[in-house]
């Protein structure tokens, strides 16, 4: 008995799709069984825990790893894009995933309906489906950065969290989307008789969509970095303005502090200490000095933003 699911499509080549759960011990034992005819290199690739998208021809088959959005039931804190490892040869495709990928059940239903006649059809459909799922996600990242740019002002320092999250997500996606495009392009160029011309067209179409997504993610990353720098500059400018105001106030009151300190000394000999108009004379002098200093700052344009 094969763990996971096995779907057979009778017809040209009697194509079968065997999908295994990498977390199932029975599935690992099935892969280790040499009677199933899997090449050692293919078995090693199918059981690798962490892998990046790639395409490697081997004998009359191909090893290809792809990344796609994880299923909604997967709540772990790993990468948003989960991996599926594939060994494809004439008449058979064996895939292993350690976390559920969104959309595999749809492909299984399409397989049951007889839409795929060979491994090339299935891999091309998988690549197109992954691209279709990721297109709106990447577009949403761009929209988030657009919203942050429109809302950018001196009072929007809280946007830094949203910008940092968008940039981090873009970097995480781009890390897998760029090599995935290269893997699909490489597979489209393979001279294998079970990869038909229609499959190559669909593979190149999916690769082109991944290329556009990679460009959009790169733009999101660069724009997010620029936005973060602009917010940092705005914050520094705001701090500078406040520091300037504090400096102006301090410099206005500095001579006044000297005058009041001088006449506030509790020593004998201060002129007019007992004169009834002494307080008002000192107050008037202080107002005159303060106004004069303020007017000097205004003439020097220190109050301009």
């Amino acid at each position: 008995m094969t763990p996971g699911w096995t779907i057979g499509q009778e017809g040209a080549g009697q194509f079968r799709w065997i999908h295994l759960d990498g977390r199932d011990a029975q599935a690992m034992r099935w892969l280790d069984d040499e009677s199933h005819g899997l090449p050692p290199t293919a078995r090693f690739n199918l059981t690798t825990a962490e892998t990046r998208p790639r395409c490697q021809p081997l004998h009359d088959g191909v090893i290809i790893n792809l990344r796609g959005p994880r299923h909604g039931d997967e709540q772990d804190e790993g990468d948003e894009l989960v991996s599926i490892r594939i060994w494809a040869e004439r008449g058979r495709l064996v895939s292993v995933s350690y976390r559920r990928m969104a959309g595999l059940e749809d492909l299984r239903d399409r397989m049951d309906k007889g839409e795929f006649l060979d491994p090339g059809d299935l891999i091309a459909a998988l690549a197109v489906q992954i691209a279709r799922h990721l297109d709106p996600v990447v577009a949403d990242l761009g929209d988030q950065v657009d919203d942050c740019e429109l809302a950018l002002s001196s009072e929007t320092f809280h946007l830094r969290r949203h910008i940092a999250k968008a940039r981090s997500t873009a970097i995480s996606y781009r890390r897998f989307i760029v090599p995935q495009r290269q893997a699909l392009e490489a597979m489209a160029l393979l001279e294998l008789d079970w990869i038909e011309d229609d499959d190559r067209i669909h593979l190149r179409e999916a690769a082109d969509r991944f290329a556009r997504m990679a460009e959009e993610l790169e733009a999101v990353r660069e724009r997010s970095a620029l936005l973060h720098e602009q917010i940092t500059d705005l914050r520094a400018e705001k701090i500078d303005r406040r520091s300037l105001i504090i400096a102006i106030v301090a410099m206005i009151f500095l001579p006044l502090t000297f005058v009041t300190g001088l006449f506030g000394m509790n020593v004998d000999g201060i002129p007019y200490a007992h004169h009834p108009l002494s307080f008002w004379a000192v107050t008037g002098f202080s107002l005159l000095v303060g106004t004069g200093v303020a007017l000097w700052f205004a003439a020097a344009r220190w109050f301009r933003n």
Side-chain angles (χ1 to χ4, degrees), residues 230-250:
Q230 291 178 14
I231 291 177
T232 302
D233 292 342
L234 287 173
R235 185 174 186 181
E237 183 180 348
K238 188 173 184 179
I239 293 175
D240 289 343
R241 287 200 302 267
R242 291 178 176 178
S243 300
L244 178 61
I245 293 174
I246 294 173
I248 292 173
V249 172

Side-chain angles (χ1 to χ4, degrees), residues 200-218:
R200 301 181 195 279
I201 293 174
H202 293 148
L203 288 171
R204 292 192 181 99
E205 176 188 351
D208 182 64
R209 295 178 69 174
F210 282 117
R212 292 197 301 269
M213 280 187 277
E215 294 172 356
E216 177 66 20
L217 291 171
E218 180 65 21

Side-chain angles (χ1 to χ4, degrees), residues 3 6 14 20 24 44 68 78 95 101 103 108 111 125 146 148-149 152-153 176 181 186 188 196 216 235 243 255 275:
T6 302
Q14 296 185 343
L20 307 172
D24 188 345
F44 176 78
S95 61
M101 178 182 291
R108 180 178 60 184
M111 179 83 176
D146 290 339
C148 291
E149 287 179 337
L152 187 63
S153 70
F176 298 116
R181 171 185 63 83
E196 300 177 352
E216 177 66 20
R235 185 174 186 181
S243 300
H275 195 282

Side-chain angles (χ1 to χ4, degrees), residues 7 20 52 98 101 141 145 168 183 201 206 211 244 273 277:
I7 304 175
L20 307 172
R52 289 170 58 85
Y98 283 82
M101 178 182 291
L141 285 176
V145 177
S168 175
I201 293 174
L244 178 61
L277 298 179

Side-chain angles (χ1 to χ4, degrees), residues 117-292:
L117 301 179
D118 55 53
D121 291 341
L122 179 55
I123 295 174
L126 175 61
V128 171
Q129 179 168 277
I130 292 174
R132 187 180 301 117
H133 275 87
L134 289 181
D135 264 338
V137 177
V138 175
D140 183 63
L141 285 176
D143 292 340
Q144 291 180 30
V145 177
D146 290 339
D147 294 339
C148 291
E149 287 179 337
L150 292 175
L152 187 63
S153 70
S154 59
E155 303 296 334
T156 52
F157 301 130
H158 64 279
L159 291 177
R160 289 183 301 170
R161 294 190 297 271
H162 301 289
I163 294 172
K165 183 177 180 182
R167 185 169 186 266
S168 175
T169 304
I171 291 173
S172 177
Y173 280 14
R174 188 180 184 279
R175 183 161 58 99
F176 298 116
I177 285 180
V178 171
Q180 187 145 295
R181 171 185 63 83
Q182 298 170 347
L184 294 174
E185 290 176 344
M187 184 173 178
L189 296 175
L190 294 179
E191 297 296 334
L192 297 174
D193 55 3
W194 50 267
I195 301 180
E196 300 177 352
D197 291 339
D198 288 343
D199 300 334
R200 301 181 195 279
I201 293 174
H202 293 148
L203 288 171
R204 292 192 181 99
E205 176 188 351
D208 182 64
R209 295 178 69 174
F210 282 117
R212 292 197 301 269
M213 280 187 277
E215 294 172 356
E216 177 66 20
L217 291 171
E218 180 65 21
V220 168
R221 187 181 69 168
E222 293 179 356
R223 290 167 60 197
S224 299
L226 290 175
L227 278 175
H228 190 274
E229 291 179 1
Q230 291 178 14
I231 291 177
T232 302
D233 292 342
L234 287 173
R235 185 174 186 181
E237 183 180 348
K238 188 173 184 179
I239 293 175
D240 289 343
R241 287 200 302 267
R242 291 178 176 178
S243 300
L244 178 61
I245 293 174
I246 294 173
I248 292 173
V249 172
M251 295 183 70
I252 289 175
F253 281 92
L254 184 62
L256 303 182
T257 303
F258 172 75
V259 172
T260 55
L262 179 64
F263 285 95
M265 294 185 296
N266 191 18
V267 296
D268 293 334
I270 297 178
Y272 307 104
H274 302 288
H275 195 282
L277 298 179
S278 297
F279 171 76
W280 298 110
V282 173
T283 302
F285 178 75
S286 298
L287 289 175
L288 182 62
V289 172
T291 303

